[in-house]
Amino acid sequence: MKLRNWLTLVFAAALLAGCGSPGPPVDPAPVGDVQRPTPAGTDMSGQVDNSGPAAPECNPRASLRPDDTIRPGSTMDDIVKRGYLIAGVDQSTNLWGFRDPHTGELQGFDIDVATEIAKDLFDTDDPPIRFRAINSGQREEVLKNGEVDIVVRTYSITCERMQEVAFSTVYFEAAQRVLVREKSGIQGIADLGGKRVCAAENSTSVDNLTEADPQPAPVQAANWTDCHVLLQQGQVDAVSTDNTILAGMAAEDPSTRVVGPPLSEELYGVGIPQQNEDMVRFVNASLEGVRQDVWRARYAHWGLGEVLGNMSPPRPVYR
């Protein structure tokens, strides 16, 4: 047989073999219901541990009288000698403490308050300040451990917290309400009995949810932005926290709205290590200037009136 004829036969045989049956198809792995992932640290159990001892009664509005004197050896003197103020703040709550997407700088009403305190401390319009981003559950911890000088993070003053840390006078009055999806039909907390409602862990908002009637099923997340994500994904029916924080969420997401009557009164103060009474007095002196000179301007700058209405700085109360 000539070589050409032999190669033709080999090629034809190979072609026929390639056209044979590929065999039965392989079944893909079975796919069940796919659950959307939840943010890290989210507790969906609906259980809240509030079994601790009841805090003694107090006047959460009352703080120490102001004194802006920086004496040798004082807390303020030590901070000035160090060369910068350390402030615990939020970095993920729109309008209050968040990172500007263009500059990466922290901005918001609470950032403005912390900066004003640093300006008075260092007597300059461009003060040295180092921001430490913390979540709501870390506020007492970083103060008690001396990791920060102050915490300015939508920090509600309560009698229970006053057993662990000190507070300035009230610089903002908020109220807990509810954020829902626009077309949910939910009008307030009364419509959320047995339904999942998200709040930040270790916040007063969680405690208030356990006292609501009818009681919802609290979901606890590390940050308010995590609650917003859970609402957008349909994993919770509502987010409940201060109307100040909800205002920022609603501004970012027009498909949501703030509804219902207030669940509680929330009084924001600057958190300070309990032993640093001189720093409490200094911060209170600084807040006197904030109320007079910058409060209304920053309130307008961040557009808070669009959701919260016309407000004025709260009057200080001193012990």
Side-chain angles (χ1 to χ4, degrees):
M1 180 182 295
K2 293 183 179 180
L3 178 60
R4 179 183 297 175
N5 293 337
W6 183 80
L7 289 174
T8 299
L9 290 173
V10 171
F11 177 76
L15 186 61
L16 289 172
C19 294
S21 172
V26 178
D27 290 336
V31 178
D33 293 334
V34 178
Q35 298 295 325
R36 292 181 176 179
T38 58
T42 301
D43 180 359
M44 303 285 286
S45 69
Q47 304 299 314
V48 178
D49 182 12
N50 49 13
S51 59
E57 291 187 4
C58 72
N59 180 0
R61 290 181 177 272
S63 185
L64 299 175
R65 293 192 174 276
D67 183 354
D68 62 359
T69 307
I70 301 179
R71 298 176 176 85
S74 65
T75 302
M76 297 78 71
D77 184 48
D78 291 341
I79 294 171
V80 171
K81 289 178 178 176
R82 181 211 294 153
Y84 52 88
L85 176 72
I86 307 174
V89 298
D90 198 351
Q91 66 172 354
S92 57
T93 299
N94 189 32
L95 308 181
W96 289 87
F98 66 100
R99 290 198 180 275
D100 185 292
H102 302 292
T103 65
E105 299 293 325
L106 284 166
Q107 295 189 359
F109 193 94
D110 277 346
I111 304 301
D112 294 339
V113 170
T115 301
E116 291 298 321
I117 294 169
K119 286 180 180 180
D120 291 335
L121 187 59
F122 289 94
D123 194 22
T124 176
D125 289 335
D126 186 21
I129 181 170
R130 295 188 181 181
F131 295 113
R132 174 171 176 182
I134 58 174
N135 61 43
S136 61
Q138 295 175 305
R139 292 177 293 196
E140 285 88 32
E141 174 189 340
V142 295
L143 286 169
K144 292 195 294 184
N145 292 342
E147 298 172 44
V148 299
D149 301 311
I150 58 175
V151 167
V152 192
R153 193 191 186 284
T154 56
Y155 201 2
S156 295
I157 307 170
T158 68
C159 296
E160 181 180 11
R161 287 171 176 169
M162 290 175 71
Q163 302 304 301
E164 300 186 73
V165 300
F167 284 97
S168 71
T169 52
V170 178
Y171 68 86
F172 203 98
E173 295 177 343
Q176 183 174 346
R177 294 183 69 192
V178 174
L179 182 80
V180 298
R181 284 167 289 180
E182 179 70 37
K183 299 180 180 180
S184 67
I186 297 170
Q187 299 300 316
I189 194 68
D191 296 330
L192 289 164
K195 297 182 181 296
R196 287 178 170 176
V197 180
C198 188
E201 61 184 355
N202 297 324
S203 66
T204 56
S205 300
V206 173
D207 296 334
N208 293 334
L209 288 177
T210 64
E211 298 174 3
D213 184 21
Q215 184 176 321
V219 172
Q220 299 184 73
N223 292 291
W224 294 115
T225 48
D226 296 335
C227 284
H228 193 187
V229 169
L230 291 170
L231 178 65
Q232 291 173 322
Q233 294 182 165
Q235 293 167 289
V236 299
D237 296 283
V239 178
S240 185
T241 185
D242 306 347
N243 54 358
T244 50
I245 298 172
L246 298 181
M249 293 184 189
E252 288 182 319
D253 186 354
S255 69
T256 62
R257 62 191 180 104
V258 181
V259 298
L263 280 70
S264 68
E265 178 184 62
E266 303 297 330
L267 308 174
Y268 292 172
V270 177
I272 301 161
Q274 198 169 53
Q275 68 275 15
N276 296 346
E277 290 191 358
D278 55 351
M279 188 66 176
V280 175
R281 295 182 185 277
F282 185 90
V283 169
N284 283 341
S286 182
L287 290 178
E288 289 276 8
V290 169
R291 294 184 187 94
Q292 294 175 15
D293 301 328
V294 302
W295 195 99
R296 290 178 177 83
R298 302 319 293 171
Y299 184 85
H301 174 82
W302 295 114
L304 293 169
E306 295 176 12
V307 175
L308 306 180
N310 186 29
M311 293 183 66
S312 298
R315 293 181 178 180
V317 176
Y318 297 115
R319 293 200 291 268

